[in-house]
Amino acid sequence: MTIPLVYHASYSKLALPKKHRFPTSKYQRLQQYLLEQGLAIPQDFHQPSPIDIKVLKQTHQSDYVDGFINNTLTNKVLRRIGFPWSESLVNRTLHAVNGTVLSANLAIDHGIALHLSGGYHHAHYDFGSGFCVFNDLMIAAKQMLIKQKATKVLIIDCDVHQGDGTAALSQTQANIITCSLHCQKNFPFRKQRSHHDIEFDKHTLDDEYLSVIKQVIPYLISIHQPDLILYDAGVDIHQDDDLGYLDISTKGILARDTFILQQAKQAEIPIAAVIGGGYSRNEQALTQRHSQLFIAAKAIW
């Protein structure tokens, strides 16, 4: 079958200062790479529309949402997000958040969908943080519950950084289960409580990391019995990542993604994956790391 992929050109259209850490070009590069390598054809791609502001306000504080849209947030609040305000940032954000909602819908219809962005797990109720404005994972999960397309959503977050915003937002949500598998000594300094927090020591290698993944994921599926999984496939666990402190190889990333996608397929649970974090000046290497998710999906479906 063809795997639905979600992408919008705005993802890489973001005006940032020259030495900014955020790898804006990686989304467009990833799309080009998937097409060049025969991992996708143009017809696989679905374009999200901008998300409805009312939907944002079902998860985030109304004043915060309006402040971001209308450029009335303070400099302190913007510094915490990590981006200067611009029209292109608003446009990108509204499309990217809805891209994860679209991916969740497509996963329910097709069994799987992959989003070439997403994973904005540091966004809290009334503020953004760590390059995350609005929490797409929580918004998508809530939308699927509201629309009665799912009754229980499991968020598996394998980004190297704890999904602190997702953890905080999920504390009042009985039907959204959060699991964050992250490096313990890394951003954010103040951790929140997910339903399940799995913490790795700095410089953890493939064998230990994958051993934990192979224990935790089947356990989560077994005890929670979700009918939708949202998977943050962050590659900032890589040994050469600029902002991560784990020592996972590219092969290790492929093994992780393959195992998690296989578990969802075997259990017949729809899975929507986002690419999450990945930071490197070497754009080609970063593209290859993110492509492991798509290679894994292609091998399984």
Side-chain angles (χ1 to χ4, degrees):
M1 70 169 249
T2 59
I3 296 168
L5 308 177
V6 174
Y7 174 76
H8 194 270
S10 66
Y11 296 173
S12 282
K13 289 179 181 168
L14 186 56
L16 292 175
K18 251 192 178 170
K19 293 191 175 177
H20 200 282
R21 302 294 292 271
F22 192 76
T24 311
S25 66
K26 77 175 183 179
Y27 308 97
Q28 185 180 7
R29 286 178 176 275
L30 178 59
Q31 191 208 23
Q32 287 174 338
Y33 184 80
L34 296 177
L35 291 167
E36 286 164 7
Q37 297 297 312
L39 292 164
I41 57 173
Q43 295 91 313
D44 295 339
F45 289 95
H46 299 251
Q47 275 198 36
S49 57
I51 196 158
D52 188 329
I53 304 303
K54 289 185 196 134
V55 172
L56 291 177
K57 291 180 178 181
Q58 289 170 348
T59 295
H60 291 282
Q61 184 196 50
S62 182
D63 287 350
Y64 170 59
V65 174
D66 290 338
F68 175 71
I69 302 296
N70 300 321
N71 189 23
T72 57
L73 296 178
T74 66
N75 285 335
K76 185 180 176 185
V77 172
L78 286 171
R79 274 199 304 275
R80 189 164 191 177
I81 292 171
F83 293 131
W85 189 91
S86 64
E87 292 282 0
S88 65
L89 176 62
V90 173
N91 190 41
R92 178 192 187 278
T93 300
L94 298 182
H95 283 93
V97 171
N98 212 28
T100 300
V101 178
L102 176 57
S103 301
N105 276 301
L106 288 166
I108 288 165
D109 292 342
H110 299 274
I112 185 172
L114 307 177
H115 186 197
L116 280 72
S117 183
Y120 302 114
H121 60 172
H122 298 309
H124 287 247
Y125 172 64
D126 56 355
F127 66 91
S129 175
F131 308 141
C132 304
V133 182
F134 301 124
N135 197 305
D136 61 314
L137 296 165
M138 188 57 59
I139 290 165
K142 283 181 83 168
Q143 281 301 294
M144 295 309 104
L145 295 173
I146 289 166
K147 300 261 172 77
Q148 299 186 320
K149 295 195 170 188
T151 58
K152 187 180 278 189
V153 182
L154 171 62
I155 298 175
I156 299 171
D157 188 342
C158 287
D159 193 280
V160 81
H161 306 106
Q162 193 212 28
D164 58 323
T166 312
L169 286 164
S170 71
Q171 284 167 6
T172 56
Q173 303 292 322
N175 295 323
I176 302 174
I177 308 300
T178 56
C179 177
S180 181
L181 301 103
H182 54 267
C183 180
Q184 196 262 327
K185 289 197 168 82
N186 203 337
F187 179 88
F189 177 71
R190 288 181 60 198
K191 306 290 193 283
Q192 300 289 327
R193 287 188 67 175
S194 311
H195 294 97
H196 305 272
D197 282 300
I198 316 296
E199 298 190 319
F200 294 98
D201 291 332
K202 282 185 178 183
H203 308 301
T204 295
L205 297 166
D206 285 14
D207 287 352
E208 183 187 342
Y209 182 81
L210 292 169
S211 170
V212 171
I213 293 283
K214 287 174 181 178
Q215 290 172 58
V216 168
I217 304 307
Y219 169 76
L220 291 173
I221 290 172
S222 169
I223 64 163
H224 293 298
Q225 299 282 306
D227 44 18
L228 174 65
I229 294 171
L230 300 181
Y231 171 41
D232 186 336
V235 301
D236 40 13
I237 61 168
H238 194 272
Q239 58 201 11
D240 296 327
D241 191 84
D242 289 350
L243 301 181
Y245 300 123
L246 301 185
D247 286 340
I248 310 305
S249 69
T250 303
K251 274 188 179 174
I253 289 171
L254 178 61
R256 176 199 69 179
D257 292 347
T258 300
F259 183 80
I260 291 173
L261 295 181
Q262 278 175 337
Q263 290 297 302
K265 189 169 190 201
Q266 282 169 15
E268 297 183 342
I269 302 167
I271 184 165
V274 300
I275 66 169
Y279 305 90
S280 176
R281 304 286 185 202
N282 184 335
E283 292 172 334
Q284 188 177 1
L286 185 56
T287 299
Q288 287 178 337
R289 290 170 210 164
H290 279 302
S291 73
Q292 302 308 306
L293 173 67
F294 300 83
I295 292 167
K298 194 95 171 160
I300 297 165
W301 264 268

